[in-house]
């Protein structure tokens, strides 16, 4: 038995017999193990940079189309072109098998249509605001949406506002006041010699502030409404993008035909011969940019974490504001730079506050220590047990 066990345990492969000799067994080829995934797709720096770049690209190109040398007033048409380009692009990618989303359903479209109306209000007021305001001021005032949305969540979804969140709200309001004061001071200093020009510039700023305030309320309404409706439809990212853009196209076409001036003179004023091709190209790129920024946002959350994404969104205000100083004639003064710094700080503080709030909600669990009770309560329990 011992010999049999030895023969079983120590068998040697001699290979194939060739006459009086044994051929050595052929070595089997084993491919080298492949990497699990590309290091590029899992590098957290790359999606953060892609998210920041897409945000800057969208803001700068929209500003260029709306106020880059021409008196552009076909805002509904611009938004319609962006929607058509976006729907065409994602439908093409779906046909090629690159992405997938639900097919059009009338019942789902009916449920989602109110959200699309809110989206039209949000993007239209946003284009009007950025048309009258500089990119840094627009970016700073956009933070006011956080305050309205936070208190909307408290009323609708039973959320809460911590002390650190309130502190970030104070910084947001302070940055907006400083930015408005810097804008008005710059207008008075540059156009103070002419009361007419100064009044016209301040009127333009006031119109921008009005549109910006409306945009903050429209944005908060859109975010809160989408949060409620998305529970009814269970939409994913590309489902939301498809229905949002598809349902807004007919609304934008009607608004453009009814409310905007389509005379030959106005068209030539909106699309000057020397910059016509550049404006059309920018309009198409901004339509594609909506896909890029949506994918970059999802990529950033997937490759990093929700906390890192929130912090990236807060820090993203800095390069967007700086892009307005570089590419456009936004005033570079001590108050304007201070407003950018305070606004960026408010975003960082808000991201930290939300991170701490989410951690506290995760740590809430079953109690591990018996709670303290009064002597009367304990005696009542003992009597019931007996």
């Amino acid at each position: 038995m011992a010999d049999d066990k030895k023969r079983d345990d120590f068998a040697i492969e001699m290979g194939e017999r060739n006459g009086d000799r044994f051929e050595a067994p052929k070595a089997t080829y084993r491919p080298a193990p492949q990497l699990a995934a590309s290091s590029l797709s899992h590098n957290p720096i790359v999606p953060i940079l892609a998210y920041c770049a897409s945000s800057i690209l969208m803001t700068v190109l929209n500003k260029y189309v709306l106020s880059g040398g021409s008196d552009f007033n076909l805002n509904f048409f611009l938004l319609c072109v962006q929607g058509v380009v976006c729907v065409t692009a994602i439908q093409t990618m779906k046909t090629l098998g690159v992405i997938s989303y639900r097919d059009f359903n009338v019942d789902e479209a009916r449920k989602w249509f109110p959200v699309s109306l809110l989206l039209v209000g949000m993007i239209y007021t946003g284009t009007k605001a950025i048309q009258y305001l500089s990119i840094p001021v627009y970016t700073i005032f956009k933070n006011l949406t956080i305050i309205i949305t936070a208190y909307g969540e408290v009323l609708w979804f039973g959320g809460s506002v911590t002390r650190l969140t309130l502190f970030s709200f104070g910084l947001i309001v302070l940055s907006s006041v400083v930015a408005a004061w810097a804008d008005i001071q710059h207008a008075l200093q540059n156009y103070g010699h002419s009361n007419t020009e100064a009044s016209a510039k301040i009127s333009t700023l006031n119109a921008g502030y009005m549109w910006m305030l409306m945009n903050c309320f429209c944005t908060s309404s859109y975010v809160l409404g989408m949060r409620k409706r998305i529970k009814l439809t269970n939409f994913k990212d590309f489902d939301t993008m498809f229905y949002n853009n598809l349902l807004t196209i007919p609304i934008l076409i009607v608004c453009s035909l009814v409310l905007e001036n389509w005379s030959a003179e106005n068209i030539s004023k909106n699309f000057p011969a020397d910059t016509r091709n550049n404006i059309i190209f920018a309009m198409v790129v901004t339509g594609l940019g909506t896909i890029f920024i949506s994918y970059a946002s999802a990529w950033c959350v997937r490759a990093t974490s929700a906390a890192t994404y929130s912090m990236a969104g807060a820090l993203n205000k800095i390069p967007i504001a700086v892009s307005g100083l570089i590419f456009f004639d936004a005033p570079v003064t001590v108050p304007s730079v201070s407003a950018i710094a305070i606004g960026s700080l408010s975003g960082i503080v808000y991201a930290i506050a939300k991170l701490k709030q989410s951690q506290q909600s995760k740590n809430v669990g079953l109690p591990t220590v018996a709670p303290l009770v009064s002597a009367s309560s304990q005696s009542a329990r003992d009597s019931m047990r007996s």
Side-chain angles (χ1 to χ4, degrees):
M1 291 293 293
D3 293 339
D4 292 339
K5 185 167 183 60
K6 288 180 181 179
R7 283 193 294 272
D8 292 339
D9 292 344
F10 299 98
I12 300 175
E13 185 179 358
M14 301 296 294
E16 297 181 359
R17 188 181 183 107
N18 185 9
D20 296 335
R21 295 179 301 171
F22 284 93
E23 294 287 344
K26 295 182 180 181
T28 57
Y29 172 73
R30 296 179 180 178
Q34 297 181 352
L35 295 176
S38 174
S39 59
L40 182 65
S41 62
H42 288 274
N43 188 347
I45 302 298
V46 177
I48 291 174
L49 292 177
Y51 170 65
C52 295
S54 60
S55 301
I56 295 173
L57 179 67
M58 286 290 294
T59 306
V60 171
L61 288 180
N62 275 325
K63 179 66 175 177
Y64 171 76
V65 173
L66 293 166
S67 58
S70 62
D71 190 13
F72 196 88
N73 54 31
L74 298 176
N75 297 56
F76 283 118
F77 175 69
L78 167 64
L79 299 175
C80 183
V81 171
Q82 292 175 348
V84 170
V85 170
C86 181
V87 171
T88 304
I90 62 176
Q91 185 62 40
T92 303
M93 289 191 291
K94 180 182 179 180
T95 304
L96 296 176
V98 179
I99 62 174
S100 63
Y101 55 86
R102 305 181 190 184
D103 294 328
F104 181 79
N105 182 275
V106 176
D107 184 58
E108 290 178 340
R110 180 181 55 81
K111 293 178 181 178
W112 197 257
F113 187 73
V115 180
S116 298
L117 286 176
L118 294 173
L119 177 62
V120 171
M122 182 189 75
I123 56 181
Y124 179 76
T125 55
T127 58
K128 297 297 289 185
I130 200 172
Q131 187 171 2
Y132 292 115
L133 299 176
S134 64
I135 290 180
V137 175
Y138 172 82
T139 305
I140 293 169
F141 270 83
K142 193 73 175 176
N143 284 340
L144 292 172
T145 306
I146 297 175
I147 302 177
I148 303 173
T149 306
Y151 282 102
E153 288 181 344
V154 171
L155 294 175
W156 286 8
F157 303 102
S160 60
V161 177
T162 63
R163 292 182 178 179
L164 189 58
T165 306
L166 283 175
F167 178 66
S168 69
F169 291 170
L171 291 176
I172 290 173
V173 174
L174 177 61
S175 64
S176 302
V177 172
V178 173
W181 175 73
D183 254 5
I184 294 173
Q185 286 294 111
H186 181 265
L188 293 176
Q189 289 176 0
N190 284 8
Y191 304 100
H193 59 278
S194 175
N195 293 331
T196 304
E197 292 183 4
S199 299
K201 183 64 176 178
I202 293 177
S203 298
T204 301
L205 293 175
N206 290 334
Y209 300 146
M210 181 196 68
W211 284 112
M212 192 72 247
L213 184 61
M214 293 173 60
N215 177 253
C216 291
F217 280 101
C218 290
T219 303
S220 297
S221 301
Y222 167 71
V223 172
L224 296 171
M226 183 174 62
R227 181 176 172 182
K228 293 196 72 171
R229 285 287 174 174
I230 208 166
K231 295 179 180 179
L232 298 176
T233 56
N234 196 25
F235 277 177
K236 304 301 181 184
D237 290 339
F238 283 108
D239 298 325
T240 304
M241 186 187 304
F242 173 69
Y243 275 92
N244 269 342
N245 287 278
L246 183 65
L247 295 179
T248 56
I249 289 173
I251 304 173
L252 294 170
I253 290 176
V254 172
C255 292
S256 180
L257 293 176
V258 173
L259 301 177
E260 294 180 335
N261 183 6
W262 281 95
S263 63
E265 180 182 357
N266 191 57
I267 293 175
S268 62
K269 186 173 76 170
N270 282 271
F271 298 96
D274 54 340
T275 59
R276 182 177 302 155
N277 293 333
N278 294 335
I279 292 176
I280 295 174
F281 176 75
M283 293 169 68
V284 174
V285 172
T286 52
L288 296 174
T290 57
I291 307 172
F292 183 34
I293 195 170
S294 298
Y295 177 78
S297 300
W299 185 17
C300 189
V301 173
R302 185 174 64 251
T304 58
S305 64
T308 305
Y309 173 72
S310 300
M311 191 62 66
L315 295 174
N316 195 31
K317 301 288 191 301
I318 300 176
I320 292 177
V322 171
S323 67
L325 302 177
I326 296 175
F327 297 107
F328 300 95
D329 57 346
V332 183
T333 61
V334 174
S336 64
V337 175
S338 301
I340 294 173
I342 298 172
S344 302
L345 178 62
S346 67
I348 296 173
V349 174
Y350 178 76
I352 295 174
K354 296 299 289 184
L355 175 60
K356 289 185 176 181
Q357 194 172 359
S358 63
Q359 288 177 345
Q360 289 175 357
S361 62
K362 289 180 181 179
N363 293 333
V364 174
L366 294 175
T368 57
V369 180
L372 297 175
V373 295
S374 63
S376 59
S377 299
Q378 186 63 42
S379 61
R381 292 180 182 180
D382 294 338
S383 63
M384 290 180 68
R385 289 175 183 173
S386 60

